[in-house]
Amino acid sequence: MADPAAQLAEQGFAVYLLHYFDRTGPVKEEKSAIVMNFPLWMKTLWDAISFVEKQPSVDSQRIGLIGFSLGGYLAMCGSSIDPRIKAVVEFFGGFPKEMKLFMRRLCPTLILHGEDDATIPVSEAHYLQKILEDKNIPHEIKIYPGVGHGFDGEAWKDARVRTLAFLQEYLV
């Protein structure tokens, strides 16, 4: 997370890193453990936004989130209920089908996903894309052929450029 955070800070964004596992400690990558802890992580995200929006270097009307994997799910869920979130960049995550029942809104979203992701299938990206299309929410999607869970090399370079451009469009 340090690399994208530093890049955005260099471009004038106020950047804060959320360590949501601090609230629960490490969690096994089993669905039951994730489901059990998800509400606490959502509360952690809510608390973090409440803290960040009060910081003097932050324009509370232009808060965006970047989430990687599970963090992508958290960012999307947060944006579906919290109007303070104005844009999301979601890296190889998704949107839980169960959350659709609680969804009040969505914001502009950039979806970045590897086509060969064995951890979170690319179908999750397409599911999220469909929701955004159905609700007429501005979004972009980039599926990287031959890329799995996590980016490096050319995919990472491209994702960085897309992330910066997207956030500049929707937050600046």
Side-chain angles (χ1 to χ4, degrees), residues 7-65:
Q7 175 197 6
L8 292 172
E10 288 169 5
Q11 296 297 319
F13 288 90
V15 178
Y16 294 82
L17 295 175
L18 174 60
H19 299 277
Y20 51 89
F21 287 128
D22 286 354
R23 186 162 253 169
T24 59
V27 174
K28 293 180 183 176
E29 293 182 17
E30 298 168 357
K31 186 171 182 175
S32 61
I34 292 170
V35 169
M36 184 178 77
N37 287 287
F38 207 84
L40 289 171
W41 297 328
M42 288 292 294
K43 173 72 168 108
T44 304
L45 176 60
W46 186 277
D47 292 346
I49 293 169
S50 297
F51 171 80
V52 166
E53 74 177 343
K54 295 176 185 156
Q55 301 311 301
S57 64
V58 173
D59 179 344
S60 64
Q61 299 305 305
R62 297 188 293 166
I63 293 176
L65 300 178

Side-chain angles (χ1 to χ4, degrees), residues 108-120:
T109 303
L110 173 60
I111 304 165
L112 303 167
H113 212 103
E115 183 178 58
D116 297 339
D117 191 332
T119 305
I120 299 176

Side-chain angles (χ1 to χ4, degrees), residues 80-97:
S80 76
I81 59 173
D82 191 340
R84 299 174 297 176
I85 302 168
K86 305 301 185 201
V88 172
V89 178
E90 183 271 313
F91 281 81
F92 37 89
F95 187 74
K97 291 169 181 54

Side-chain angles (χ1 to χ4, degrees), residues 152-164:
D152 58 16
E154 291 304 313
W156 180 236
K157 287 179 189 174
D158 181 74
R160 288 178 58 165
V161 169
R162 288 175 188 273
T163 296
L164 180 59

Side-chain angles (χ1 to χ4, degrees), residues 66-167:
I66 297 176
F68 297 85
S69 193
L70 176 57
Y73 281 94
L74 286 166
M76 288 309 305
C77 288
S79 75
S80 76
I81 59 173
D82 191 340
R84 299 174 297 176
I85 302 168
K86 305 301 185 201
V88 172
V89 178
E90 183 271 313
F91 281 81
F92 37 89
F95 187 74
K97 291 169 181 54
E98 303 83 2
M99 193 65 191
K100 211 169 170 194
L101 298 170
F102 304 101
M103 181 174 57
R104 293 184 217 138
R105 61 169 311 265
L106 286 170
C107 61
T109 303
L110 173 60
I111 304 165
L112 303 167
H113 212 103
E115 183 178 58
D116 297 339
D117 191 332
T119 305
I120 299 176
V122 71
S123 60
E124 291 290 311
H126 294 299
Y127 172 72
L128 176 55
Q129 178 186 24
K130 174 101 171 77
I131 292 171
L132 294 163
E133 285 173 354
D134 289 349
K135 299 218 170 277
N136 202 28
I137 304 295
H139 66 282
E140 297 175 27
I141 183 168
K142 174 63 177 170
I143 305 299
Y144 295 93
V147 174
H149 194 71
F151 300 158
D152 58 16
E154 291 304 313
W156 180 236
K157 287 179 189 174
D158 181 74
R160 288 178 58 165
V161 169
R162 288 175 188 273
T163 296
L164 180 59
F166 186 83
L167 293 176

